[in-house]
Short mmCIF file of all heavy atoms in Angstrom, two decimals:
data_model
loop_
_atom_site.label_atom_id
_atom_site.label_comp_id
_atom_site.label_asym_id
_atom_site.label_seq_id
_atom_site.Cartn_x
_atom_site.Cartn_y
_atom_site.Cartn_z
N VAL A 1 -1.77 -3.18 -10.12
CA VAL A 1 -0.73 -3.80 -9.27
C VAL A 1 0.03 -4.94 -10.00
O VAL A 1 1.28 -4.96 -9.92
CB VAL A 1 -1.38 -4.34 -8.00
CG1 VAL A 1 -0.36 -5.11 -7.11
CG2 VAL A 1 -2.01 -3.23 -7.13
N ALA A 2 -0.74 -5.80 -10.63
CA ALA A 2 -0.07 -7.00 -11.28
C ALA A 2 -0.91 -7.52 -12.43
O ALA A 2 -2.12 -7.33 -12.34
CB ALA A 2 0.11 -8.06 -10.21
N THR A 3 -0.26 -8.09 -13.35
CA THR A 3 -0.86 -8.63 -14.59
C THR A 3 -0.31 -9.96 -14.84
O THR A 3 0.88 -10.24 -14.68
CB THR A 3 -0.64 -7.76 -15.80
OG1 THR A 3 -1.08 -6.44 -15.50
CG2 THR A 3 -1.31 -8.29 -17.02
N ILE A 4 -1.18 -10.94 -15.30
CA ILE A 4 -0.68 -12.30 -15.69
C ILE A 4 -1.36 -12.66 -17.01
O ILE A 4 -2.56 -12.39 -17.20
CB ILE A 4 -0.97 -13.31 -14.62
CG1 ILE A 4 -0.33 -14.65 -14.94
CG2 ILE A 4 -2.46 -13.44 -14.28
CD1 ILE A 4 -0.20 -15.63 -13.76
N SER A 5 -0.64 -13.17 -17.93
CA SER A 5 -1.20 -13.61 -19.25
C SER A 5 -2.13 -14.74 -19.09
O SER A 5 -2.25 -15.41 -18.01
CB SER A 5 -0.03 -13.99 -20.10
OG SER A 5 0.69 -15.10 -19.60
N SER A 6 -2.88 -15.04 -20.08
CA SER A 6 -3.85 -16.12 -20.09
C SER A 6 -3.30 -17.51 -19.68
O SER A 6 -4.01 -18.27 -19.02
CB SER A 6 -4.62 -16.21 -21.37
OG SER A 6 -3.70 -16.43 -22.50
N THR A 7 -2.10 -17.68 -20.10
CA THR A 7 -1.50 -19.01 -19.79
C THR A 7 -0.72 -19.03 -18.55
O THR A 7 -0.27 -20.08 -18.04
CB THR A 7 -0.54 -19.44 -20.92
OG1 THR A 7 0.52 -18.46 -21.03
CG2 THR A 7 -1.25 -19.51 -22.30
N GLY A 8 -0.48 -17.90 -18.03
CA GLY A 8 0.32 -17.71 -16.81
C GLY A 8 1.83 -17.66 -17.09
O GLY A 8 2.61 -17.51 -16.17
N GLY A 9 2.19 -17.58 -18.28
CA GLY A 9 3.59 -17.62 -18.64
C GLY A 9 4.27 -16.26 -18.59
O GLY A 9 5.48 -16.16 -18.68
N SER A 10 3.47 -15.22 -18.46
CA SER A 10 4.05 -13.83 -18.37
C SER A 10 3.39 -13.04 -17.30
O SER A 10 2.14 -13.11 -17.17
CB SER A 10 3.83 -13.17 -19.73
OG SER A 10 4.34 -11.87 -19.72
N THR A 11 4.18 -12.39 -16.55
CA THR A 11 3.66 -11.55 -15.44
C THR A 11 4.33 -10.18 -15.48
O THR A 11 5.44 -9.99 -15.99
CB THR A 11 3.88 -12.12 -14.08
OG1 THR A 11 5.31 -12.42 -13.85
CG2 THR A 11 3.21 -13.51 -13.95
N ASP A 12 3.59 -9.20 -14.86
CA ASP A 12 4.15 -7.84 -14.76
C ASP A 12 3.74 -7.26 -13.45
O ASP A 12 2.52 -7.55 -13.03
CB ASP A 12 3.75 -7.03 -15.94
CG ASP A 12 4.58 -5.76 -16.09
OD1 ASP A 12 5.71 -5.73 -15.61
OD2 ASP A 12 4.05 -4.72 -16.65
N TYR A 13 4.46 -6.34 -12.92
CA TYR A 13 4.15 -5.76 -11.60
C TYR A 13 4.46 -4.24 -11.57
O TYR A 13 5.35 -3.74 -12.27
CB TYR A 13 4.99 -6.43 -10.49
CG TYR A 13 4.79 -7.90 -10.38
CD1 TYR A 13 5.55 -8.78 -11.07
CD2 TYR A 13 3.79 -8.39 -9.56
CE1 TYR A 13 5.39 -10.15 -10.92
CE2 TYR A 13 3.60 -9.75 -9.42
CZ TYR A 13 4.32 -10.66 -10.12
OH TYR A 13 4.10 -11.98 -10.03
N ALA A 14 3.68 -3.53 -10.83
CA ALA A 14 4.02 -2.19 -10.42
C ALA A 14 5.29 -2.13 -9.72
O ALA A 14 5.54 -3.01 -8.92
CB ALA A 14 2.90 -1.56 -9.65
N ASP A 15 6.04 -1.08 -9.93
CA ASP A 15 7.34 -0.93 -9.16
C ASP A 15 7.21 -0.96 -7.66
O ASP A 15 8.03 -1.52 -6.95
CB ASP A 15 8.00 0.33 -9.62
CG ASP A 15 8.59 0.34 -11.02
OD1 ASP A 15 8.76 -0.74 -11.61
OD2 ASP A 15 8.84 1.40 -11.52
N SER A 16 5.99 -0.49 -7.22
CA SER A 16 5.80 -0.38 -5.76
C SER A 16 5.64 -1.72 -5.11
O SER A 16 5.77 -1.86 -3.89
CB SER A 16 4.57 0.45 -5.50
OG SER A 16 3.41 -0.14 -6.15
N VAL A 17 5.35 -2.75 -5.88
CA VAL A 17 5.15 -4.10 -5.26
C VAL A 17 6.15 -5.21 -5.80
O VAL A 17 6.14 -6.33 -5.31
CB VAL A 17 3.70 -4.61 -5.53
CG1 VAL A 17 2.71 -3.66 -5.06
CG2 VAL A 17 3.50 -4.98 -6.95
N LYS A 18 6.94 -4.83 -6.75
CA LYS A 18 7.85 -5.76 -7.36
C LYS A 18 8.77 -6.29 -6.33
O LYS A 18 9.35 -5.68 -5.47
CB LYS A 18 8.71 -5.04 -8.46
CG LYS A 18 9.21 -5.93 -9.53
CD LYS A 18 9.72 -5.10 -10.70
CE LYS A 18 8.68 -4.44 -11.48
NZ LYS A 18 9.22 -3.73 -12.70
N GLY A 19 8.90 -7.65 -6.30
CA GLY A 19 9.72 -8.34 -5.34
C GLY A 19 9.00 -8.77 -4.12
O GLY A 19 9.48 -9.52 -3.29
N ARG A 20 7.78 -8.18 -3.94
CA ARG A 20 6.99 -8.51 -2.70
C ARG A 20 5.73 -9.23 -3.06
O ARG A 20 5.26 -10.08 -2.18
CB ARG A 20 6.59 -7.17 -1.91
CG ARG A 20 7.86 -6.46 -1.49
CD ARG A 20 7.43 -5.29 -0.56
NE ARG A 20 6.60 -4.29 -1.24
CZ ARG A 20 5.35 -3.98 -0.83
NH1 ARG A 20 4.77 -4.54 0.25
NH2 ARG A 20 4.64 -3.08 -1.52
N PHE A 21 5.08 -8.91 -4.18
CA PHE A 21 3.84 -9.57 -4.55
C PHE A 21 4.12 -10.51 -5.73
O PHE A 21 4.98 -10.38 -6.59
CB PHE A 21 2.85 -8.51 -5.07
CG PHE A 21 2.32 -7.58 -4.03
CD1 PHE A 21 2.86 -7.52 -2.70
CD2 PHE A 21 1.21 -6.78 -4.29
CE1 PHE A 21 2.33 -6.68 -1.76
CE2 PHE A 21 0.68 -5.88 -3.36
CZ PHE A 21 1.31 -5.87 -2.03
N THR A 22 3.28 -11.56 -5.74
CA THR A 22 3.30 -12.62 -6.84
C THR A 22 1.93 -12.88 -7.29
O THR A 22 1.08 -13.30 -6.48
CB THR A 22 4.02 -13.89 -6.38
OG1 THR A 22 5.35 -13.61 -5.83
CG2 THR A 22 4.07 -14.86 -7.45
N ILE A 23 1.71 -12.66 -8.57
CA ILE A 23 0.41 -13.04 -9.23
C ILE A 23 0.51 -14.40 -9.79
O ILE A 23 1.55 -14.83 -10.43
CB ILE A 23 -0.03 -12.01 -10.27
CG1 ILE A 23 -1.40 -12.20 -10.65
CG2 ILE A 23 1.00 -11.91 -11.46
CD1 ILE A 23 -1.97 -11.10 -11.56
N SER A 24 -0.52 -15.21 -9.75
CA SER A 24 -0.52 -16.51 -10.33
C SER A 24 -2.00 -16.86 -10.70
O SER A 24 -2.91 -16.13 -10.34
CB SER A 24 0.02 -17.54 -9.33
OG SER A 24 -0.72 -17.68 -8.19
N ARG A 25 -2.10 -17.98 -11.34
CA ARG A 25 -3.51 -18.40 -11.70
C ARG A 25 -3.46 -19.97 -11.90
O ARG A 25 -2.48 -20.60 -12.18
CB ARG A 25 -3.92 -17.72 -13.03
CG ARG A 25 -3.08 -18.19 -14.30
CD ARG A 25 -3.40 -17.26 -15.46
NE ARG A 25 -4.82 -17.41 -15.89
CZ ARG A 25 -5.51 -16.48 -16.61
NH1 ARG A 25 -4.88 -15.41 -16.98
NH2 ARG A 25 -6.73 -16.71 -16.93
N ASP A 26 -4.68 -20.50 -11.68
CA ASP A 26 -4.94 -21.90 -11.92
C ASP A 26 -6.13 -22.04 -12.82
O ASP A 26 -7.27 -21.85 -12.40
CB ASP A 26 -5.21 -22.57 -10.57
CG ASP A 26 -5.42 -24.09 -10.65
OD1 ASP A 26 -5.69 -24.55 -11.72
OD2 ASP A 26 -5.23 -24.76 -9.67
N ASN A 27 -5.84 -22.25 -14.11
CA ASN A 27 -6.91 -22.26 -15.09
C ASN A 27 -7.86 -23.45 -14.91
O ASN A 27 -9.01 -23.39 -15.34
CB ASN A 27 -6.30 -22.21 -16.53
CG ASN A 27 -5.80 -20.82 -16.91
OD1 ASN A 27 -6.07 -19.85 -16.27
ND2 ASN A 27 -5.00 -20.76 -17.98
#
């Protein structure tokens, strides 16, 4: 569904959820 880099600086989404879902992280 979604991917986030180790620093949080890069994200990627499946087309089916793009614009609706947001991935984030708090290291």
Side-chain angles (χ1 to χ4, degrees):
V1 173
T3 303
I4 188 166
S5 63
S6 58
T7 63
S10 177
T11 59
D12 194 28
Y13 299 92
D15 287 342
S16 58
V17 306
K18 206 168 287 186
R20 300 188 297 122
F21 289 12
T22 302
I23 189 171
S24 61
R25 65 191 297 159
D26 185 336
N27 284 347

